[in-house]
Amino acid sequence: MQASSSLLASPLARFLGVLRVEGHDGDAALQDWVALLKPRVISLVVFTGLAGMAVAPKWPSVPVGLVIIACICIGAGAAGAINMWYDRDIDAIMKRTRVRPVPGGRVEPTSALVYAVVLSVASVVLLWLATNLLAAGILAFSIFFYGVIYTMWLKRSTPQNIVIGGAAGAFPPMIGWAATMGSLDVLPVVMFAIVFLWTPPHFWSLSLYACKDYESAGIPMLPVVKGARHTRWQIVIYTFILGAVSLVPSVVGQCGWFYTVCASLLDLGFIYYGLRVLFDKQDDKGNSLTKDKPARYAFRYSLAYLFFLFCGLLIDRVLLA
Ligand code: HEM
Ligand SMILES: CC(C)=CCC/C(C)=C/CC/C(C)=C/COP(=O)(O)OP(=O)(O)O
């Protein structure tokens, strides 16, 4: 088993080695340029954009649909690259992020910035040419919101950083819908609200066990400023609010029984994982005595929650309509 995986790994490693870019970014390989786009995070961002596009009453042609998805992917990735360029000082301090291409010294900061700006502009212009100004405008605003408002301002100045900044990651369903329809409606706005309210329990679960990193980098994340106990309560409160808002599509007649069942089950799951975080074994300051096991489960569950919730919506509106 080990032998066969190393057989597979070595051609791949050689292929990536061939693609090394020489010059100032002498040590940068293709994987570093890809890593600047935060590919794992944006995979789910792009999926929410795809969901926004697919649940709209009208579908684009296949080539236009592919361009829409590519533009959301490139735009979201470019925003991630702006974040990695600007945050290179704090990323160099945090264990989780110090190996990233810029603090790792494999990509020059200026190259990362040029790359991010070129991709941002290209994604917005291409989306405008392929679809309409509304979709391109929302994409441009989300890139600005994540790259500038969240990264350069909110992240370093308030523990509510990710609540407000979370709006950036919530726009893709609206972009997908607007690109197809040329306008907005109740459903894409509710999808925005779902991702917006999902972001705090998603991130605060992670921040409970990454708190030391953020503290050492001087970032005022909620557990750093208000402590673990306060953060645990906030996670539970947001899972309840999210649960209520996730059922709005059913209440306003935008979907049927299938979504309602999926959402209800997923909500119960999120509340369960949130309560496990709340009742984790703690010291008198609310710090975990279990290496934050429940918070790690809640973070992982948050990813599954959003993916399956939007799968439920897609199945309900596309296959069962
Ligand atoms: C302000 C809003 C958000 C913050 C602060 C945040 C923060 C984070 C952080 C710090 C990680 C760990 C990633 C890493 O180690 O590089 C993460 C992982 C992740 N986030 Fe978020 N997130 C936010 C919004 C979103 C949104 C809107 C989505 C998708 C819709 C998303 C999807 C993901 C995914 C899929 C992962 C797992 C990546 C992996 O497997 O490595 N996040 N998030
Ligand atoms: C369409 C569009 C522009 C969408 C933007 C999507 C997007 C990338 C949302 C933010 C998700 C994210 C990785 C936040 C990380 O926060 P952080 O930067 O504080 O985390 P870090 O500590 O890992 O750098």
Side-chain angles (χ1 to χ4, degrees), residues 3-199:
S4 69
S5 64
S6 66
L7 273 179
L8 279 177
S10 78
L12 181 67
R14 252 181 280 134
F15 172 68
L16 292 174
V18 166
L19 291 169
R20 271 173 198 285
V21 180
E22 299 300 335
H24 282 299
D25 303 296
D27 289 329
L30 176 67
Q31 68 226 45
D32 292 316
W33 297 103
V34 174
L36 277 172
L37 306 178
K38 300 196 173 183
R40 290 167 66 116
V41 175
I42 65 165
S43 59
L44 189 57
V45 173
V46 172
F47 177 70
T48 65
L50 171 77
M53 183 178 89
V55 298
K58 195 175 79 186
W59 276 14
S61 66
V62 172
V64 173
L66 290 175
V67 171
I68 295 170
I69 297 306
C71 289
I72 296 176
C73 184
I74 296 166
I82 297 176
N83 170 275
M84 286 217 213
W85 162 75
Y86 189 81
D87 275 351
R88 61 193 183 280
D89 55 341
I90 54 175
D91 281 354
I93 299 169
M94 299 200 288
K95 236 191 239 159
R96 182 175 57 83
T97 54
R98 66 168 65 128
V99 293
R100 283 179 172 173
V102 181
R106 299 184 304 285
V107 172
E108 287 287 318
T110 315
S111 311
L113 179 62
V114 171
Y115 174 68
V117 171
V118 168
L119 290 186
S120 299
V121 173
S123 63
V124 171
V125 172
L126 183 58
L127 189 61
W128 187 2
L129 294 176
T131 64
N132 56 65
L133 187 57
L134 178 64
I138 305 173
L139 179 62
F141 184 70
S142 347
I143 296 171
F144 175 75
F145 208 84
Y146 179 50
V148 178
I149 304 290
Y150 169 74
T151 302
M152 299 183 193
W153 177 31
L154 299 169
K155 183 171 175 179
R156 297 177 191 229
S157 61
T158 164
Q160 289 301 309
N161 47 15
I162 62 105
V163 180
I164 314 165
F171 281 117
M174 282 170 58
I175 300 170
W177 180 292
T180 319
M181 304 299 295
S183 61
L184 289 170
D185 208 325
V186 177
L187 189 56
V189 175
V190 176
M191 291 169 85
F192 167 91
I194 289 172
V195 183
F196 180 72
L197 293 165
W198 164 90
T199 301

Side-chain angles (χ1 to χ4, degrees), residues 285-302:
K285 287 186 181 143
N287 296 314
S288 176
L289 299 172
T290 67
K291 294 191 177 154
D292 278 305
K293 236 181 183 179
R296 289 169 204 271
Y297 286 136
F299 174 73
R300 262 189 268 161
Y301 183 81
S302 75

Side-chain angles (χ1 to χ4, degrees), residues 240-312:
F240 274 99
I241 302 174
L242 172 63
V245 172
S246 72
L247 293 173
V248 170
S250 315
V251 175
V252 297
Q254 291 285 323
C255 59
W257 67 269
F258 185 80
Y259 172 80
T260 311
V261 171
C262 288
S264 307
L265 293 176
L266 288 163
D267 288 333
L268 287 177
F270 216 169
I271 289 168
Y272 166 76
Y273 279 101
L275 290 173
R276 279 188 63 180
V277 171
L278 184 65
F279 295 118
D280 187 13
K281 276 195 192 132
Q282 302 152 39
D283 64 15
D284 54 359
K285 287 186 181 143
N287 296 314
S288 176
L289 299 172
T290 67
K291 294 191 177 154
D292 278 305
K293 236 181 183 179
R296 289 169 204 271
Y297 286 136
F299 174 73
R300 262 189 268 161
Y301 183 81
S302 75
L303 302 178
Y305 173 94
L306 194 60
F307 177 71
F308 287 116
L309 188 78
F310 280 11
C311 280

Side-chain angles (χ1 to χ4, degrees), residues 195-215:
V195 183
F196 180 72
L197 293 165
W198 164 90
T199 301
H202 160 71
F203 176 73
W204 285 333
S205 302
L206 176 136
S207 74
L208 276 175
Y209 57 89
C211 182
K212 283 214 173 74
D213 251 1
Y214 284 118
E215 201 173 354

